[in-house]
């Protein structure tokens, strides 16, 4: 089975072969492969480009989220950036990196655990002690009190959550600080607090029956500061697997919900609960009252933040129709971060763990089209050769920030730990961690 890295390189070579206007590579005068644009929304576009096949240390300090990310996503100015990696690691061969990682893991033993996200590249997952989604990895950190450190092969908000839930003496290391999340960055704590002031001023704090006028709910894909905001304002965190349970919890306590930062997970979950789109409002943080009248907000049961995942926004109903035309009888399953029309056109929708379980339960010979990140889809096909599994999106484009975790960074991190150092340690101040923990513990208790 071809690796994702090889797929990206092959796509770039094919684009070069068919021509196009080459654009100069970042920071050089060298031409590079032309980029294939992908519409993400009516007012903007994104592209998945051949720069993804570059080693991440070549692009870690450049502006924006890097090749393959949405060009309309604005990265915060204070987003963490990775410092230079020692030449020993950047010039090492794959075989050398493997030898160093393997030796360091053996020497560290159970003192250090490597946690790998489902969307991580195969070259990293092979070393992971535990593989899962962001919720599962946070649980794994909490359930491992014997570990001195966790090497978190995911993105920044995930490492923050692991630090909040792990013990105070346990270190959480993110191998590459440039591994962020554009969705999480679409809601800042200042924006959320401004939104809350407008909502409570307009709607009040409590209803006539004593319930909260608005309950804040944030997806796991958000900063620790926003999780803390929810914790201290009677709110909760949710995952893609327990979002419905969490909304039910919120409606027992409040008249309506404000949902950060992914509008699609919030909308899809609410619609599955029988809430109509006329009872939802999309909050645009740059507009007064989010762009709505006071009456519209009063009539809404769910107020959705205007955020999204650039990977899952790529999936379309046209892709599903094409899959059904080419493979009669195909089963289509997608992640609930996809737009509502895509979720409604699919045969099933759920978390990455749901997708994995659905494929494991499929009959031999089944054909399954999946709407989620390509590394997971590619890996599932490798693991189930008796099935035909493919990604709905014909453009090979992984989560560009998750892809920043490269074996060179893992080798550097493990050897640093072996030397008694803690590079890239992610530490959430207790002033934030305490309230975050409240919202996370409520989430852990909300079992679907």
């Amino acid at each position: 089975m071809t690796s994702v890295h090889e797929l990206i390189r092959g796509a770039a070579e094919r684009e070069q072969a068919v021509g196009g206007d080459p654009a100069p590579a970042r920071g050089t005068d060298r031409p590079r492969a032309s980029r294939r644009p992908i519409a993400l929304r009516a007012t903007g576009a994104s592209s998945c480009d051949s720069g993804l096949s570059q080693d991440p240390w070549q692009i870690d300090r450049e502006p924006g989220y890097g090749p393959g990310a949405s060009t309309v996503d604005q990265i915060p100015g204070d987003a963490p950036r990775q410092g230079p990696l020692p030449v020993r690691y950047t010039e090492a061969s794959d075989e050398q990196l493997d030898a160093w990682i393997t030796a360091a893991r053996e020497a560290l033993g159970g003192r250090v655990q490597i946690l790998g996200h489902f969307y991580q590249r195969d070259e990293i997952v092979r070393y992971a002690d535990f593989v899962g989604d962001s919720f599962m990895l946070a649980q794994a950190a909490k359930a491992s009190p014997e570990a001195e450190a966790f090497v978190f092969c995911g993105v920044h908000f995930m490492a923050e959550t692991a630090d909040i839930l792990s013990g105070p003496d346990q270190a959480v290391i993110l191998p590459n600080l440039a591994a962020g999340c554009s969705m999480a960055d679409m809601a800042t704590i200042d924006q959320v607090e401004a939104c809350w002031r407008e909502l409570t001023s307009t709607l009040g704090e409590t209803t006539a029956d004593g319930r909260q006028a608005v309950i804040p709910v944030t997806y796991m894909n958000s900063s620790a500061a926003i999780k803390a905001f929810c914790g201290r304002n009677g709110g909760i965190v949710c995952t893609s697997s327990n979002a419905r349970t969490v909304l039910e919890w919120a409606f027992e306590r409040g008249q309506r919900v404000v949902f950060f930062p992914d509008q699609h997970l919030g909308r899809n979950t609410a619609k599955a609960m029988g809430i109509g789109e006329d009872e939802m409002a999309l909050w645009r943080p740059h507009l007064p009252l989010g762009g709505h009248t006071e009456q519209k907000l009063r009539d809404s049961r769910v107020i959705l933040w205007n955020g999204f995942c650039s990977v899952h926004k790529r999936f379309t109903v046209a892709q599903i129709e094409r899959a059904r035309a080419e493979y009669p009888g195909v089963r289509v399953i997608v992640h609930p971060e996809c737009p509502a029309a895509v979720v409604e056109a699919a045969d099933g929708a759920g978390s990455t763990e749901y997708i994995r379980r659905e494929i494991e339960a499929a009959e031999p010979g089944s054909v399954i089209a999946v709407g989620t990140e390509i590394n997971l889809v590619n890996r599932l096909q490798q693991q189930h050769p008796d099935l035909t599994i493919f990604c709905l999106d014909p453009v090979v484009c992984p989560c560009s920030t998750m892809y920043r975790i490269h074996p060179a960074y893992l080798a550097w991190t493990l050897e640093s730990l072996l030397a008694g150092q803690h590079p890239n340690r992610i530490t959430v101040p207790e002033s934030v961690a305490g309230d975050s923990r409240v919202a996370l513990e409520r989430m852990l208790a909300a079992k679907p």
Side-chain angles (χ1 to χ4, degrees), residues 76-101:
D78 60 353
R81 289 296 182 187
Q82 177 64 34
L85 196 61
V87 173
R88 176 174 188 262
Y89 301 99
T90 61
E91 294 186 353
S93 66
D94 293 344
E95 292 74 20
Q96 286 175 312
L97 293 173
D98 176 63
W100 296 341
I101 293 169

Side-chain angles (χ1 to χ4, degrees), residues 4-5 8 26 32 35 47 49-70 73 75 79-85 89-90 97 117 119-125 151-156 158 173-182 185 311 373 375 397-413 424:
V4 171
H5 185 81
I8 294 169
R26 294 173 176 81
R32 61 173 178 153
R35 303 198 297 183
S47 59
D49 64 36
S50 59
L52 270 172
S53 63
Q54 295 178 342
D55 294 320
W57 49 86
Q58 297 175 351
I59 55 177
D60 277 343
R61 302 189 66 80
E62 294 177 1
Y65 290 99
S70 171
D73 293 349
I75 193 168
R81 289 296 182 187
Q82 177 64 34
L85 196 61
Y89 301 99
T90 61
L97 293 173
H117 193 272
Y119 294 165
Q120 193 52 252
R121 57 169 84 205
D122 288 343
E123 304 96 294
I124 293 295
V125 166
V151 177
F152 208 111
C153 298
V155 295
H156 196 270
M158 300 178 191
I173 310 297
L174 185 64
N176 186 340
L177 290 178
C181 172
S182 60
D185 290 338
V311 171
E373 203 269 351
N375 272 297
C397 192
C399 172
S400 59
T401 48
M402 190 84 69
Y403 209 59
R404 297 288 181 93
I405 309 294
H406 182 282
Y409 289 98
L410 181 57
W412 168 68
T413 299
N424 292 3

Side-chain angles (χ1 to χ4, degrees), residues 115 134-144 149-153 155-168 170-174 220 224 227 426-428 433 437 440:
L115 307 180
S134 58
F135 175 53
M136 295 165 67
L137 295 178
Q139 284 183 310
K142 184 178 181 181
S144 305
F150 300 100
V151 177
F152 208 111
C153 298
V155 295
H156 196 270
F157 78 82
M158 300 178 191
E160 282 187 331
T161 303
D163 181 64
I164 292 165
L165 293 178
S166 60
Q170 294 178 299
V172 176
I173 310 297
L174 185 64
M220 278 283 283
K227 292 181 176 74
I426 304 299
T427 304
V428 179
R437 204 172 290 115
L440 287 164

Side-chain angles (χ1 to χ4, degrees), residues 16 36 44 53 67 130 160 210 212 283 335 385 399:
Q16 286 179 313
R36 180 177 179 179
S53 63
F130 189 90
E160 282 187 331
Q212 231 175 278
W283 185 278
H335 196 281
C399 172

